[in-house]
Amino acid sequence: MAATPWYFVAVLLTILTSSQGILTTLSQSDGGYKYDYATVPFLAEVFKLIISGLFLWREMRTSSSTTSRITTDWKSVRLFVIPSLIYLIHNNVQFATLTYVDTSTYQIMGNLKIVTTGILFRLFLKRKLSKLQWMAIGLLAVGTTTSQVKGCGEASCDSLFTAPIQGYLLGILSAGLSALAGIYTEFLMKRNNDTLYWQNLQLYTFGSLFNVARLIADDFRHGFEKGPWWQRIFDGYSITTWLVVLNLGSTGLLVSWLMKYADNIVKVYSTSMAMLLTMVASIYLFSFKPTLQLFLGIVICIMSLHMYFAPPHTLVDLPVTNEAHAKTLKQVVVEAKTDS
């Protein structure tokens, strides 16, 4: 799979990510969830764990060199606990943020992770970005924010800058944690030559354990009112719910592939484009009314995409080189001597 072009995986990730919100909405019934939505990420982690285990087993059977690409030292394995902890803290910060700000403000503030990812990408991974690429990242943040801003005549517009300061601080922290988790995961994936499937196995094992811990904590918080989580894990599940689990798990596998063979910036562009694609799809599926801001946001994001990934010489008209000037001057001098 390593030979697969990264842009093919990025496009597939964009499609899956954009359908994630749509499937989640379709899985609702009477405006709510009949299933415990905390079980969905757990089952998605288990799905990723099983798929990674099967691919690792297949690779070990077909390649004799795989054993040299598996590091079983505990000092290396325990590093995979860190991104799981960061994501766990991030999820709680998200919940806390939504107690202070409305959904629209939260979505707009979420675009800060585009910029924070670029900054951490430069600081921690020592990856240099050109000035043009920094401008493209800035444009992407502006484009996604523009697409999410509602009309000035709507009531939600007035609440954009009226939330308590705690909400904005938590929003900034949430964006930073999201970027940090992605950057650290990329660092782990590229720090050695371990096979991707072994790295996934470690990452998703800890992810599954932390999700189990959350389900147990929820049981204690509600006094086991509905019984232990393992007895009701599939209650209320439908075909659409299983599609949500499958979608979430597949998205995670594609993200880990990008962390290994591409980088966080590619992932940021994929998820940002997925958000815009979701809005467009919502026009037909949920009678979502398109806005001028959405159209402008899409145009800006497409410009940003071209600026970041296109070769620099295709973005500017290069001036005539000095060599061409020299040849022209030489020709004039020869013609002058001939005339004299």
Side-chain angles (χ1 to χ4, degrees), residues 34 44-45 54 68 72-73 82 90 126 143 145 157 169 185 191 194 197-198 211 214 243 248 267 279 287 297 330:
K34 286 188 175 181
E45 290 293 317
L54 290 174
S68 62
T72 56
D73 180 25
I82 298 175
H90 174 250
K126 307 299 182 184
T145 302
C157 237
L169 292 176
T185 302
R191 67 187 294 267
D194 281 358
Y197 308 120
W198 167 240
N211 274 277
R214 186 214 167 162
L243 287 176
L248 190 61
K267 187 200 79 169
M279 290 183 177
S287 300
K330 184 177 179 181

Side-chain angles (χ1 to χ4, degrees), residues 19-304:
S19 60
Q20 193 174 91
I22 295 172
L23 288 172
T24 303
T25 303
L26 292 174
S27 70
Q28 295 179 357
S29 180
D30 298 326
Y33 300 101
K34 286 188 175 181
Y35 58 91
D36 183 357
Y37 58 82
T39 61
V40 171
F42 166 69
L43 291 174
E45 290 293 317
V46 173
F47 169 76
K48 292 184 285 186
L49 189 62
I50 293 173
I51 295 298
S52 299
L54 290 174
F55 272 103
L56 179 62
W57 174 74
R58 177 177 174 272
E59 192 174 86
M60 291 179 67
R61 287 191 61 186
T62 57
S63 175
S64 58
S65 62
T66 304
T67 53
S68 62
R69 293 160 51 209
I70 295 180
T71 304
T72 56
D73 180 25
W74 169 244
K75 291 182 179 179
S76 178
V77 173
R78 68 185 180 183
L79 294 176
F80 285 86
V81 177
I82 298 175
S84 299
L85 278 174
I86 296 175
Y87 280 121
L88 181 66
I89 297 171
H90 174 250
N91 290 336
N92 285 279
V93 170
Q94 279 184 311
F95 179 80
T97 305
L98 286 168
T99 61
Y100 292 101
V101 302
D102 56 47
T103 305
S104 299
T105 304
Y106 176 77
Q107 289 178 340
I108 291 173
M109 291 180 64
N111 296 320
L112 287 172
K113 68 183 177 184
I114 297 172
V115 179
T116 52
T117 297
I119 294 172
L120 296 179
F121 188 74
R122 176 68 182 93
L123 293 177
F124 290 101
L125 298 182
K126 307 299 182 184
R127 298 288 295 276
K128 187 176 181 180
L129 298 174
S130 67
K131 292 180 181 179
L132 197 62
Q133 288 177 321
W134 277 115
M135 290 173 63
I137 291 174
L139 269 182
L140 181 65
V142 171
T144 52
T145 302
T146 301
S147 67
Q148 293 169 332
V149 173
K150 295 183 179 180
C152 295
E154 298 194 24
S156 60
C157 237
D158 299 331
S159 64
L160 264 178
F161 302 105
T162 58
I165 187 64
Q166 297 95 319
Y168 297 115
L169 292 176
L170 286 171
I172 294 171
L173 178 60
S174 175
L177 287 172
S178 177
L180 181 61
I183 293 296
Y184 191 83
T185 302
E186 181 179 346
F187 163 75
L188 288 180
M189 292 295 182
K190 293 178 178 176
R191 67 187 294 267
N192 56 35
N193 292 324
D194 281 358
T195 177
L196 171 64
Y197 308 120
W198 167 240
Q199 292 175 324
N200 279 347
L201 206 64
Q202 299 169 79
L203 186 64
Y204 301 140
T205 296
F206 290 116
S208 300
L209 291 175
F210 279 114
N211 274 277
V212 168
R214 186 214 167 162
L215 290 170
I216 295 174
D218 286 345
D219 284 343
F220 277 102
R221 189 181 299 113
H222 297 100
F224 291 89
E225 182 181 354
K226 298 181 180 179
W229 64 271
W230 59 85
Q231 292 183 0
R232 53 181 172 78
I233 188 171
F234 302 125
D235 290 354
Y237 268 58
S238 62
I239 295 178
T240 309
T241 313
W242 282 110
L243 287 176
V244 173
V245 173
L246 182 63
N247 181 286
L248 190 61
S250 302
T251 299
L253 291 171
L254 291 176
V255 167
S256 68
W257 190 97
L258 286 179
M259 295 297 98
K260 182 74 171 179
Y261 301 111
D263 56 49
N264 265 278
I265 303 298
V266 174
K267 187 200 79 169
V268 164
Y269 269 95
S270 296
T271 52
S272 298
M273 293 301 172
M275 179 196 68
L276 297 175
L277 190 59
T278 301
M279 290 183 177
V280 173
S282 298
I283 296 173
Y284 299 97
L285 294 175
F286 307 115
S287 300
F288 174 76
K289 293 182 179 179
T291 62
L292 176 62
Q293 291 91 329
L294 174 60
F295 173 75
L296 291 175
I298 292 174
V299 172
I300 294 172
C301 287
I302 291 175
M303 290 171 60
S304 169

Side-chain angles (χ1 to χ4, degrees), residues 308-323:
Y308 189 91
F309 292 104
H313 70 271
T314 64
L315 300 175
V316 293
D317 293 326
L318 296 177
V320 180
T321 61
N322 291 332
E323 184 180 355

Side-chain angles (χ1 to χ4, degrees), residues 318-335:
L318 296 177
V320 180
T321 61
N322 291 332
E323 184 180 355
H325 283 299
K327 288 182 178 179
T328 305
L329 182 60
K330 184 177 179 181
Q331 186 179 6
V332 171
V333 171
V334 171
E335 289 177 354

